[in-house]
Amino acid sequence: MSFLRRRKGTDSSKSQNLRCNIVKEDEKNNLYESPRKESYNSKKSSCWDSCCWFIGFVCSVWWFLLLLYNTMPASIPQYVTEAITGPLTDPPGVKLRKEGLTVNHPVVFVPGIVTGGLELWEGHQCAEGLFRKRLWGGSFGELYKRPLCWAQHMSLDNETGLDPPGIRVRPVSGLVAADYFAAGYFVWAVLIANLAQIGYEEKTMYMAAYDWRLSFQNTEVRDQTLSRIKSNIELMVATNGGKKVVVIPHSMGVLYFLHFMKWVEAPPPMGGGGGSEWCAKHIKAVMNIGGPFLGVPKSVSGLFSVEARDIAIARTFAPGFLDKDVFGLQTFQHLMRMTRTWDSTMSMIPKGGETIWGELDWSPEGSSFNCGAKTLRNNSINNTDQIPNINLANMKNVNYGRIISFGKDVAEAHSSKIERVDLLQDSMKADMLANLTNCDIWIEYHDIGDHRIKAVADYKVYTAGSILDLLHFVSPKLMARGGAHFSYGIADNLDDPKYQHYKYWSNPLETKLPDAPDMEIYSMYGVGIPTERAYVYKVTTATDCSIPFQIDTSVEGGSEDSCLKGGVFSADGDETVPVLSAGLMAAKGWRGKTRFNPSGIPTYIREYSHAPPANLLEGRGTQSGAHVDIMGNFALIEDIIRVAAGATGKELGGDHVYSDIFKWAERINLQL
């Protein structure tokens, strides 16, 4: 029994030892496995922790910087900017206030095409809730929300050029009409702010807002805008001690005010009845900024194919997309149909024909300037003569006179080697066709047929002398309306009674300046930017509902310095208006006593060489010569403020020229 007890005890102890060993092995295994599990879990948790910490860190830094920005003194951002870019010059208004300049002559702003706001006063059901909301300018919110309704309300009547039935869109009034085109994109705001620095306010500043879609005379017919401008100028002179106004038109506003000066002198009912001395009594100076006095080639491409350089490039990156019916939209067709109801666009068709713009084998510019040249920055607005002239006399000759060419070979060949089919003869053979297509959007191209489209291309090349025939051929309704309001020739005899009609008043080659020898006229514009001057086109192979002509963006000049890029020939200018158009009248047509300037009004050319902003902190720059950005150019603003404060053109220093405008003027055979 004891043996059994001992054996049982022995077995019991062995079993116990075995269990202990198993437990120890399990513990050992657990000890071996647990670091691996912990390592895996720790890696997983550390990844999440890192992400959370990173997000938290970014948010904390963002909120901290936001707190600092809202609590720091206003001078700190300026200090940071100066630390990066160097000392900032005072804005012109601040600088001139320190010199003792104060408010003197009232100023009148005349905005250009598309920069003035338009608001809805009456519309169709699709425009419900938009009463007095901006359709043009501001956020353009309605363009995104209801684009077809927006295009319908922005269009004018295709027969009358006035309001369509049931729609009234009117210009916004006051300085807010054109201070900003869209949020953060200034037009007149910087100039207004600088004038305010020397004491100007709303009673001494007036924005002559108008509906820029209408022909100039129709702004008076529909809205009495010309009469309102006349009354406001008379009021400003009367309430400011008899001091004459300084008028500052920009872009197409230059042509609009040229029309106004003839309208205000002319007897009623066609004119304002102010008499021949009105301008002499009320206007000290007209300071034209970026004035397309003789038109712009860009208007031709816009009317012909709704294109300019940037749009043509966009079509290249998205071929066919903007032409097709995507999401219910045919963008280019809608755009063409809408803009071809805007009669004002025809005011900027090139004027003066081949005499001004050149022939098949000749143009005043002769050669292109170096489109690849880098413009040097010049931080002193009083020392701009240090900026080098970018025009190079030895550049390759360009046939700028050929505003439209079908094919690069046609654009570059001598005229004797170009075989052309007479467009006018072809047009007589083919009758206008009824619109038999199934296109949702009617445009005039749908009526002319394939034969006429081929005839346009077969004529090969168009100069300023034949461009009008081309536009009459492809858009007869548009040009029929335009022909009643605008003219594009050169007058043989300005005393001919026919030139008393308003259709000639916005063409400086077919009208006389006012009898106001004490008034001054300035042509102020940017130079040094490649500006559209001529185009290479092709016939598209798209569907019947598309626009049949397109800038051929595959055409290049072959070198970095070439001014043929993307199917567009460029010349010197401000990116929109060539120097030839902006400066020729002041350089020759109005220089001294001429038949266009019988009283000898002094004229001055003030050119501003373009210099891009050095970095993003400069925004659109203070030395820009671009067509709209020049409105923030410190040198230009300083010139304007000095004249508004009483200075004359001679006191400014007279002409300030970088381009070859005087050389080109000598080459133009303009009877004076």
Side-chain angles (χ1 to χ4, degrees), residues 391-414:
N391 288 286
L392 302 179
N394 59 350
M395 292 299 294
K396 178 182 176 182
N397 281 351
V398 178
N399 296 324
Y400 284 127
R402 306 176 189 187
I403 294 180
I404 287 182
S405 303
F406 279 88
K408 182 182 179 182
D409 55 338
V410 174
E412 296 180 340
H414 191 273

Side-chain angles (χ1 to χ4, degrees), residues 39-303:
S39 175
Y40 172 78
N41 291 333
S42 64
K43 286 182 180 178
K44 188 174 181 180
S45 62
S46 65
C47 180
W48 281 107
D49 290 345
S50 298
C51 291
C52 292
W53 274 106
F54 177 75
I55 294 172
F57 175 76
V58 170
C59 292
S60 299
V61 170
W62 171 255
W63 286 111
F64 177 71
L65 292 176
L66 193 63
L67 177 65
L68 281 180
Y69 181 80
N70 287 296
T71 56
M72 74 172 65
S75 59
I76 297 297
Q78 181 178 345
Y79 174 79
V80 174
T81 302
E82 289 182 355
I84 297 173
T85 64
L88 299 177
T89 58
D90 285 333
V94 174
K95 171 188 172 182
L96 298 179
R97 183 183 62 196
K98 293 177 180 178
E99 293 182 13
L101 272 65
T102 59
V103 58
N104 193 354
H105 294 274
V107 295
V108 177
F109 309 119
V110 186
I113 192 170
V114 309
T115 54
L118 300 173
E119 61 187 17
L120 183 70
W121 282 79
E122 180 184 1
H124 294 163
Q125 186 174 0
C126 67
E128 185 177 354
L130 298 182
F131 176 68
R132 294 207 65 198
K133 297 287 182 65
R134 286 201 183 195
L135 293 187
W136 189 271
S139 66
F140 285 92
E142 300 312 316
L143 170 60
Y144 310 124
K145 295 177 184 176
R146 27 190 158 181
L148 297 182
C149 182
W150 176 85
Q152 180 185 23
H153 285 74
M154 282 299 299
S155 300
L156 296 170
D157 188 276
N158 202 36
E159 301 292 337
T160 66
L162 296 169
D163 292 324
I167 294 176
R168 283 186 295 147
V169 175
R170 297 294 181 263
V172 177
S173 60
L175 295 178
V176 296
D179 54 352
Y180 288 90
F181 173 66
Y185 191 88
F186 71 81
V187 182
W188 294 91
V190 176
L191 177 57
I192 291 171
N194 278 277
L195 283 166
Q197 289 288 343
I198 67 166
Y200 279 87
E201 51 190 270
E202 199 145 12
K203 69 181 180 181
T204 48
M205 293 189 287
Y206 165 59
M207 183 71 72
Y210 59 99
D211 190 336
W212 43 261
R213 302 172 302 161
L214 299 173
S215 70
F216 301 158
Q217 192 69 10
N218 273 346
T219 64
E220 175 66 16
V221 171
R222 196 194 71 178
D223 300 334
Q224 294 76 53
T225 303
L226 298 173
S227 295
R228 295 173 187 273
I229 294 174
K230 175 176 179 285
S231 298
N232 275 284
I233 290 177
E234 290 172 344
L235 177 64
M236 294 178 83
V237 171
T239 56
N240 284 276
K243 295 177 181 177
K244 302 176 187 179
V245 300
V246 172
V247 184
I248 311 166
H250 173 242
S251 189
M252 191 186 75
V254 168
L255 301 179
Y256 187 70
F257 196 76
L258 193 63
H259 180 98
F260 169 83
M261 288 193 293
K262 294 303 294 183
W263 173 88
V264 76
E265 293 181 338
M270 190 179 294
S276 60
E277 297 181 352
W278 191 93
C279 291
K281 292 178 179 178
H282 295 88
I283 302 175
K284 169 188 168 18
V286 183
M287 308 190 76
N288 303 290
I289 304 174
F293 287 105
L294 302 177
V296 289
K298 184 183 283 190
S299 69
V300 175
S301 64
L303 293 170

Side-chain angles (χ1 to χ4, degrees), residues 107 129 150-151 203 223 306 320 363 402 445 516 547 589 594 666 671:
V107 295
W150 176 85
K203 69 181 180 181
D223 300 334
V306 206
S363 64
R402 306 176 189 187
Y445 280 125
I547 297 168
T594 68
E666 292 176 0
Q671 181 186 349

Side-chain angles (χ1 to χ4, degrees), residues 479-520:
M479 295 304 292
R481 293 196 319 272
H485 288 273
F486 304 104
S487 182
Y488 311 99
I490 301 175
D492 294 324
N493 178 14
L494 285 169
D495 294 324
D496 190 324
K498 77 173 186 179
Y499 292 111
Q500 296 174 10
H501 192 274
Y502 59 76
K503 68 181 287 185
Y504 302 103
W505 292 348
S506 60
N507 181 358
L509 299 172
E510 293 183 305
T511 190
K512 299 178 183 179
L513 288 178
D515 183 11
D518 294 331
M519 191 173 82
E520 294 179 328

Side-chain angles (χ1 to χ4, degrees), residues 436-457:
L436 302 178
T437 65
N438 294 320
C439 304
D440 295 331
I441 312 303
W442 176 86
I443 56 178
E444 287 181 285
Y445 280 125
H446 298 162
D447 286 347
I448 69 176
D450 293 340
H451 184 76
R452 285 174 167 244
I453 291 171
K454 184 177 183 300
V456 170

Side-chain angles (χ1 to χ4, degrees), residues 460-481:
K460 301 294 179 72
V461 60
Y462 297 86
T463 66
S466 53
I467 279 295
L468 293 177
D469 293 333
L470 172 65
L471 294 176
H472 275 287
F473 189 64
V474 300
S475 52
K477 287 189 176 181
L478 171 80
M479 295 304 292
R481 293 196 319 272

